[in-house]
């Protein structure tokens, strides 16, 4: 039994695993108070922003992603609709959702005027302040986070 | 070899195989695992005593039953002995396992997990081409041989034998075709199991994901191997039984037919016990490593879906049909999905139909 071809391929896969670049993954918390569709949309947005999913890349189908994550397919569909409304992905009838080629090229002034982003930033900073974080701690936290998304300076 | 001798040997082998399967289930225990059930706590002296009781009952019943099969002449008594030898230890195991399951300790678990977008891997990752080729070839050869035989058999042939190997029902040779749906059913189950293994949810813990991923891949490969070797072996054995019983009525072929029946039974016995002996210790080791990373929880499942001390998974919100077992080694069904009940009815319905026809 040990001499089947599957065994050798599996062995090769196990040895190769640590050297491979990390594959894009979505973190889900079924016990969290954040709605599941929002968790999925947040994670997808992060993967696109960190370029772990390239522009123009196809996303898994709603059914497949629902089965993988263990959530209802309507939840995934809602997450995709949210991302489409933000201009991160495009949905077309009869084909899979894909990341928009121009998803990272929105004009910069729009960022400062986006109420949703300002609301989220205020919420985040408010929480950190109430948790007793100092200004320098918050700045360090943001610097690390910014480095994750903008590893090579100011180019999007 | 005569059919009478072949039948005796077949019964002895079936009993031995049953006994060995129970032995394997009771033998492999870890410090927190009994009857392959993860108890979530250390094993105690009474737990070990339970396993030893099943082993003794199993050994005594199987031994006595085999001795009876070899010495008793009356076919009905032989059949009763076989049933006792197989069913009593099984029932005893179930009683002990249920008692143990009542003492399972469960802690609430974190429902946070990571899903990689390049998973699950396609089903081709798990399919063994040589084994599938053997399965297809044995089906084709068996069908061809039986078709050839049926044209040449007398008009009335024995189609059913009692426990002493004497024919107790005669019929048309075409009745031998009834075996073909069974073989196709086994093949269908095999593919269904492979699809389920391939599509199983692939949830990783937020930390140590790479290692966990590799362990899960190993676990799935072992499960696929177990299923493929067992079911392909069972099919090859059944084809031999099929050809053996069909050719028994050919003039001058009865001794070869008896040998085919015995070889078929040996193949089936080996196909049951061999993969179990090979895969279970390995599955247990992989299970231990997975447990060290993520505890006893099944990542990617809904906590409130685990009912009856984690024995049953009932989560209508979860699209999964099969999920990894929380307490065992393989997979369990999500009873919250209506399709699962349809599958169960189909799985139970076919053997019931066969029993009615036999």
């Amino acid at each position: 039994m040990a001499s089947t071809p599957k065994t050798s391929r599996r062995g090769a896969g196990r040895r190769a695993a640590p050297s491979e670049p990390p594959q894009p993954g979505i973190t889900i918390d079924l016990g969290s108070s954040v709605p599941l569709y929002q968790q999925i949309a947040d994670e997808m947005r992060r993967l696109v922003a960190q370029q772990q999913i390239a522009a123009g890349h196809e996303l898994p189908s709603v059914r497949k992603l629902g089965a993988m994550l263990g959530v209802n397919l309507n939840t995934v569909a809602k997450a995709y609709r949210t991302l489409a409304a933000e201009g991160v992905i495009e949905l077309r009838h009869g084909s899979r959702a894909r990341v928009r080629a121009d998803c990272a090229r929105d004009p910069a002034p729009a960022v400062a005027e986006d109420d949703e982003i300002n609301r989220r930033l205020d919420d985040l900073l408010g929480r950190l302040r109430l948790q007793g974080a100092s200004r320098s701690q918050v700045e360090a936290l943001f610097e690390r986070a910014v480095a994750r998304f903008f590893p090579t300076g100011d180019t999007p | 070899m005569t059919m009478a001798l072949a039948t005796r040997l077949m019964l002895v082998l079936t009993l031995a195989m049953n006994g060995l399967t129970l032995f394997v289930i009771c033998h492999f225990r870890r410090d927190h695992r009994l009857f392959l059930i993860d108890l979530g706590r250390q094993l105690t002296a009474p737990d070990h005593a339970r396993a030893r009781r099943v082993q003794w009952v199993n050994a005594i019943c199987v031994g006595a039953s085999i001795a009876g099969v070899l010495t008793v002449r009356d076919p009905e008594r032989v059949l009763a002995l076989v049933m006792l030898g197989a069913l009593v230890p099984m029932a005893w195991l179930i009683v002990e396992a249920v008692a143990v399951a009542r003492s399972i300790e469960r802690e609430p678990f974190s429902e946070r997990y990571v899903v990689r977008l390049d998973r699950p891997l396609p089903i081709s990752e798990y399919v063994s081409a040589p084994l599938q080729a053997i399965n297809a070839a044995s089906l084709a050869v068996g069908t061809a041989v039986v078709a050839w035989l049926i044209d040449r058999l007398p008009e009335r042939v024995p189609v059913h034998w009692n426990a002493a190997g004497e024919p107790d029902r005669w019929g048309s040779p075409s009745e031998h075709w009834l075996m073909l749906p069974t073989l196709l059913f086994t093949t269908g189950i095999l593919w269904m199991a492979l699809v389920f293994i391939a599509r199983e949810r692939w949830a990783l813990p937020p930390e140590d994901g790479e290692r966990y991923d590799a362990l899960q891949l190993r676990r799935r490969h072992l499960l696929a191997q177990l299923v493929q070797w067992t079911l392909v072996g069972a099919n090859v054995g059944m084809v031999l039984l099929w050809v053996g019983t069909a050719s028994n009525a050919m003039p001058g072929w009865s001794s070869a037919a008896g040998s085919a029946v015995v070889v078929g039974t040996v193949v089936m016995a080996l196909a049951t016990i061999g993969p179990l002996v090979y895969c279970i210790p390995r599955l247990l080791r992989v299970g231990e490593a997975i447990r060290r990373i993520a505890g006893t929880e099944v990542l990617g499942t809904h906590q409130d879906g685990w009912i009856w001390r984690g024995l049953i998974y009932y989560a209508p919100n979860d699209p999964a049909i099969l999920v990894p077992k929380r307490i065992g080694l393989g997979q369990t069904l999500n009873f919250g999905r209506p399709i699962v009940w349809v599958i169960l009815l189909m799985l139970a319905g076919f053997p019931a139909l066969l029993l009615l026809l036999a």
Side-chain angles (χ1 to χ4, degrees):
Chain A
M1 248 174 279
S3 61
T4 56
K6 287 291 148 198
T7 318
S8 55
R9 196 197 298 176
R10 182 183 59 235
R14 277 163 82 201
R15 275 192 300 276
S19 61
E20 284 168 6
Q23 291 295 320
I26 287 183
T27 307
I28 285 287
D29 190 349
L30 296 174
S32 162
S33 60
V34 178
L36 278 171
Y37 86 91
Q38 198 174 316
Q39 292 186 36
I40 297 168
D42 289 351
E43 285 289 287
M44 280 283 182
R45 197 185 297 108
R46 177 181 63 81
L47 291 176
V48 171
Q50 291 179 337
Q51 291 177 334
Q52 291 195 45
I53 308 180
H57 196 86
E58 275 193 346
L59 297 180
S61 73
V62 166
R63 188 174 293 276
K64 188 184 170 200
L65 191 58
M68 280 160 66
L69 296 172
V71 302
N72 198 297
L73 59 93
N74 292 324
T75 310
V76 180
K78 193 171 176 186
Y80 277 14
R81 282 200 303 276
T82 308
L83 291 170
E86 291 172 12
V88 177
I89 65 171
E90 53 189 346
L91 302 173
R92 272 179 303 182
H93 276 288
S95 66
R96 297 244 298 273
R98 63 172 72 228
V99 179
R100 270 175 63 162
D102 57 352
C103 62
R105 297 204 197 101
D106 274 351
V111 174
E113 288 158 21
D114 192 319
D115 284 344
E116 166 69 11
I117 287 177
N118 280 322
R119 195 184 58 74
R120 282 208 184 193
L121 269 178
D122 286 355
D123 173 55
L124 193 62
L125 289 167
R127 281 169 193 245
L128 286 168
R129 170 111 205 216
L130 288 177
Q131 281 170 15
S134 71
R135 186 182 171 127
S136 56
Q137 279 175 322
V138 173
E139 277 170 357
L141 193 71
F142 269 75
E143 219 157 86
R144 280 202 301 276
V146 167
R148 282 201 296 273
F149 286 86
F150 302 93
T152 55
D154 206 24
T155 46
Chain B
M1 193 178 292
T2 63
M3 216 50 183
L5 188 56
T7 309
R8 293 278 153 130
L9 273 169
M10 193 170 114
L11 292 174
V12 168
L13 274 170
T14 310
L15 279 167
M17 180 187 79
N18 247 310
L20 272 171
T21 308
L22 285 197
F23 172 80
V24 167
I25 291 173
C26 299
H27 178 73
F28 291 111
R29 40 189 204 261
R30 293 286 187 278
D31 52 356
H32 51 79
R33 206 184 267 280
L34 179 66
F35 305 137
L36 307 183
I37 299 174
D38 189 338
L39 301 178
R41 60 174 173 79
Q42 294 286 314
L43 287 196
T44 57
D47 292 325
H48 288 290
R50 282 184 199 286
R52 278 197 299 273
R53 272 202 297 276
V54 180
Q55 297 285 47
W56 275 110
V57 170
N58 187 30
I60 291 167
C61 285
V62 170
S65 194
I66 288 177
V69 168
L70 291 175
T71 50
V72 174
R73 288 268 160 259
D74 179 25
E76 278 178 15
R77 280 192 192 161
V78 170
L79 203 60
L81 272 171
V82 172
M83 294 305 251
L84 279 178
L87 294 181
V88 169
M90 186 67 78
W92 197 290
L93 171 69
I94 291 172
V95 169
E96 297 280 10
V98 167
V100 157
R102 294 165 75 93
S103 70
I104 291 174
E105 281 174 18
R106 285 282 157 243
E107 288 169 9
F109 61 84
S110 154
E111 292 178 298
R112 191 155 174 269
Y113 54 92
V114 178
V115 171
R116 275 169 62 164
L117 293 185
D118 62 333
R119 298 282 188 260
L121 295 169
I123 182 171
S124 56
E125 175 74 21
Y126 306 97
V127 175
S128 157
L131 280 178
Q132 294 297 338
I134 289 172
N135 190 41
S138 72
L139 280 181
V141 170
T143 308
V145 170
V146 169
W148 183 86
L149 280 169
I150 282 176
D151 283 345
R152 285 157 183 78
L153 284 173
E155 266 180 34
R156 286 184 66 72
V157 293
V159 289
H160 197 265
W161 287 261
N162 67 17
E166 300 148 354
D168 59 358
R169 198 165 65 78
W170 295 67
S172 152
S174 58
E175 274 198 43
H176 285 304
W177 283 124
L178 279 176
M179 189 70 169
L180 191 56
T182 313
L183 294 165
L184 294 176
F185 181 75
T186 325
T187 307
I189 300 263
L190 168 59
W191 278 97
M192 202 172 80
L194 287 175
V195 168
F196 281 145
I197 290 169
R199 298 251 176 95
E200 190 185 88
R201 180 154 312 135
W202 201 305
L204 309 173
E207 291 85 32
D208 228 351
E210 289 288 328
R211 173 144 175 71
Y212 191 89
D213 189 68
L215 287 167
Q216 282 291 0
L217 186 61
R218 170 95 176 121
R219 178 180 155 273
R220 283 168 172 81
H221 272 297
L222 281 168
L223 283 175
Q225 268 185 313
L226 180 66
V227 170
Q228 285 184 102
W229 278 94
T230 307
L231 290 181
V232 171
N235 255 5
V236 172
M238 277 197 290
V239 165
L240 284 165
L241 282 178
W242 190 26
V243 171
T245 46
S247 60
N248 179 53
M250 286 287 278
W253 282 38
S254 70
S255 113
S259 305
V261 168
V262 171
V263 173
T265 316
V266 171
V267 170
M268 282 175 77
L270 288 177
T272 308
I273 203 72
L276 271 184
V277 169
Y278 175 83
C279 290
I280 286 197
R282 284 164 178 79
L283 273 170
L284 283 173
R285 273 202 295 278
V286 173
E288 291 300 303
I290 288 175
R291 193 184 207 269
R292 273 196 294 277
I293 297 177
T296 55
E297 63 196 63
V298 182
L299 287 170
T301 57
H302 299 241
Q303 171 122 252
D304 49 10
W306 291 104
I307 54 178
W308 291 4
R309 289 176 184 272
L311 284 166
I312 306 261
Y313 189 57
Y314 181 90
N317 292 334
D318 188 341
I321 294 172
L322 261 101
V323 290
K325 267 187 188 167
R326 201 166 172 200
I327 55 160
L329 290 177
Q331 299 173 308
T332 186
L333 293 159
N334 176 5
F335 289 92
R337 307 295 300 178
I339 185 72
V340 162
W341 294 96
V342 176
I343 292 173
L344 275 182
L345 270 178
M346 275 167 53
L347 289 183
F350 187 81
L353 193 74
L354 272 187
L355 278 180
L356 280 178
L357 286 173

